Amino acid sequence: MSRTAAAIRSADEHSAHNYHPLPIVVASAEGAWMTDVEGRRYLDMLAGYSALNFGHGNRRLIDAARAQLERVTLTSRAFHHDRFADFCTELAALCGKDMVLPMNTGAEAVETAVKTARKWGYEVKGVPDGHAKIVVAADNFHGRTTTIVSFSTDHDARDHFGPYTPGFEIVPYGDLTALAHAVTENTVAVLLEPIQGEAGVLVPPAGYLAGVRELTRERNVLFMADEIQSGLGRTGKTFACEHEEVVPDVYILGKALGGGVVPVSAVVADRDVLGVFRPGEHGSTFGGNPLACAVALEVIAMLRSGEYQQRATELGDHLHRELNLLVGGGAVTAVRGRGLWAGVDIDPARGTGREISEKLMELGVLVKDTHGSTIRIAPPLVISKEDLDWGLDQLRSVLAG
Ligand SMILES: *Cc1c(COP(=O)(O)O)cnc(C)c1O
């Protein structure tokens, strides 16, 4: 049996089957390339769902992590450590906000935002205790906890995980009228992805985010943007909300904030919002640990240069130009996205997204399908134009076949 087959069989035997990975077993990776246990190389056009925006083994990030590994890695929040203040100050500045609440995973940051909005609702807005409502969008993806799946519309994510957490109202994504009707005096927040990644890289209609901003401001409701996947350079801006010159009240960040090295997430907002927390009311043993702060500080410094946003804009324009040439040619029915991020709908007659992904894998390109016949393209922002073009060549050859 090959090393690949042996590793997959053993994983199937001893891990819960909550994922259905492509049949590749990665042994090492650098930049935009991964090498499997057989020594075959693959171009990574998924980048860990944007957790690897800066590529695999990024020198600056690995050096920052290594230096911190030699000093101190974990203190818990029972004590201060010497990277914490810098991390919070720099991340708040990147977001143009006052305060940061650090967590680890994206789902934890979303949970933290939900708790923040409820507490703000009761203590600042004056909503009667226990009555807070948060409006969310259909086809959202915000993570996997019991509260978060309570407001998912995806049956796989939600079914048989009840009883569900109440307090959420679901409206169609991109529909301002529906949103305006759903907001009541007990609404404390609107929680949205500025671009819905998991749903197939759905970009809302022009003016939607600006409309949400106006509505939430008028009705004294927090606008919480889940920028876990869309943020930190992916779309050509630091935040996807910037495409409509929108500043939400609350940024929810994760994925790329940890540089593909460690899980780092955060909720970032002004003092009138995050100031609601007092000691003992929320926390995390690992949140804001020294290693996480050291890596995230380097991520923030890299984003401050604007270099990665620039790359995402330029390479993204190229990617979308090339992908749009495929639309209507038979195999591709639609292309959406922004920056170095695209959802490509394949004619179901040509195969499922999974089948297309497997064929691409055989040609040395890694992508991920989502919802039937859509494939998602999101290479690391450090990918070279030559490698991107090579990846596009493989896509064209799979779709021509
Ligand atoms: C990935 C993701 C999450 C959840 O992050 P985890 O780190 O997997 O918990 C939440 N929201 C969005 C938009 C995401 O893409």
Side-chain angles (χ1 to χ4, degrees):
M1 198 182 346
S2 70
R3 292 178 67 186
T4 297
I8 291 172
R9 182 195 276 190
S10 164
D12 276 349
E13 179 106 359
H14 297 293
S15 74
H17 294 181
N18 57 327
Y19 278 93
H20 180 34
L22 288 172
I24 168 188
V25 181
V26 177
S28 64
E30 198 183 340
W33 290 87
M34 300 211 266
T35 304
D36 76 1
V37 289
E38 324 278 352
R40 289 181 296 237
R41 295 181 79 228
Y42 300 84
L43 185 64
D44 181 1
M45 299 257 276
L46 179 67
Y49 307 94
S50 285
L52 287 152
N53 277 2
F54 310 100
H56 297 274
N58 185 289
R59 241 333 96 202
R60 285 181 68 173
L61 297 173
I62 298 296
D63 286 347
R66 190 173 284 130
Q68 191 61 41
L69 279 171
E70 301 295 337
R71 293 178 59 230
V72 58
T73 51
L74 188 65
T75 56
S76 83
R77 294 287 306 277
F79 317 112
H80 289 273
H81 66 76
D82 67 1
R83 311 311 301 269
F84 187 72
D86 284 348
F87 164 68
C88 295
T89 308
E90 291 297 319
L91 184 57
L94 184 76
C95 299
K97 300 284 183 194
D98 298 333
M99 284 181 156
V100 170
L101 201 169
M103 298 295 284
N104 310 283
T105 65
E108 285 178 314
V110 172
E111 286 277 349
T112 301
V114 166
K115 289 173 75 174
T116 302
R118 287 179 170 184
K119 207 157 198 299
W120 173 88
Y122 301 132
E123 296 183 2
V124 179
K125 183 171 175 174
V127 171
D129 198 41
H131 288 77
K133 276 259 179 350
I134 295 176
V135 182
V136 300
D139 302 317
N140 68 73
F141 183 82
H142 296 289
R144 301 294 198 169
T145 65
T146 40
T147 286
I148 294 171
V149 302
S150 295
F151 57 85
S152 172
T153 56
D154 176 343
H155 287 286
D156 291 339
R158 186 175 197 276
D159 290 357
H160 296 161
F161 294 115
Y164 301 108
T165 306
F168 299 94
E169 197 81 48
I170 303 171
V171 297
Y173 188 63
D175 184 340
L176 274 176
T177 311
L179 183 67
H181 280 119
V183 169
T184 70
E185 59 222 37
N186 288 343
T187 305
V188 294
V190 173
L191 168 64
L192 293 174
E193 299 156 85
I195 293 176
Q196 288 189 324
E198 205 65 24
V201 196
L202 295 185
V203 181
Y208 178 64
L209 297 175
V212 174
R213 178 63 286 185
E214 203 176 298
L215 176 77
T216 48
R217 189 174 283 129
E218 272 168 15
R219 310 281 280 273
N220 193 25
V221 165
L222 299 178
F223 180 7
M224 308 202 293
D226 180 346
E227 292 256 16
I228 290 170
Q229 195 167 158
S230 59
L232 309 186
R234 174 56 57 192
T235 67
K237 305 271 188 197
T238 305
F239 304 109
C241 283
E242 287 175 60
H243 291 285
E244 289 202 5
E245 281 157 34
V246 159
V247 178
D249 299 295
V250 176
Y251 286 107
I252 306 171
L253 305 175
K255 294 206 165 103
L257 190 56
V261 180
V262 279
V264 186
S265 69
V267 170
V268 188
D270 278 333
R271 196 171 314 279
D272 58 334
V273 178
L274 270 180
V276 297
F277 286 108
R278 285 171 290 274
E281 294 176 346
H282 189 57
S284 160
T285 304
F286 289 93
N289 68 73
L291 183 59
C293 288
V295 172
L297 269 166
E298 201 61 33
V299 166
I300 297 161
M302 288 160 72
L303 286 168
R304 285 281 193 165
S305 76
E307 183 191 326
Y308 299 90
Q309 295 89 327
Q310 181 78 20
R311 289 191 72 82
T313 300
E314 287 169 13
L315 291 172
D317 285 349
H318 179 65
L319 172 72
H320 284 280
R321 205 158 38 237
E322 294 295 317
L323 289 175
N324 277 309
L325 291 174
L326 301 175
V327 179
V332 174
T333 55
V335 175
R336 294 170 302 273
R338 210 160 234 168
L340 216 36
W341 198 17
V344 181
D345 291 345
I346 313 283
D347 178 355
R350 295 305 192 95
T352 62
R354 173 78 186 193
E355 285 161 350
I356 302 286
S357 302
E358 285 174 357
K359 284 186 191 154
L360 275 169
M361 191 195 95
E362 279 161 29
L363 295 177
V365 174
L366 298 174
V367 296
K368 181 71 173 73
D369 56 297
T370 181
H371 297 284
S373 289
T374 299
I375 58 170
R376 179 167 23 183
I377 297 179
L381 310 183
V382 298
I383 193 173
S384 70
K385 179 158 182 298
E386 294 67 37
D387 287 346
L388 181 61
D389 278 330
W390 182 82
L392 283 165
D393 285 343
Q394 309 317 304
L395 179 66
R396 277 186 285 264
S397 93
V398 162
L399 295 177

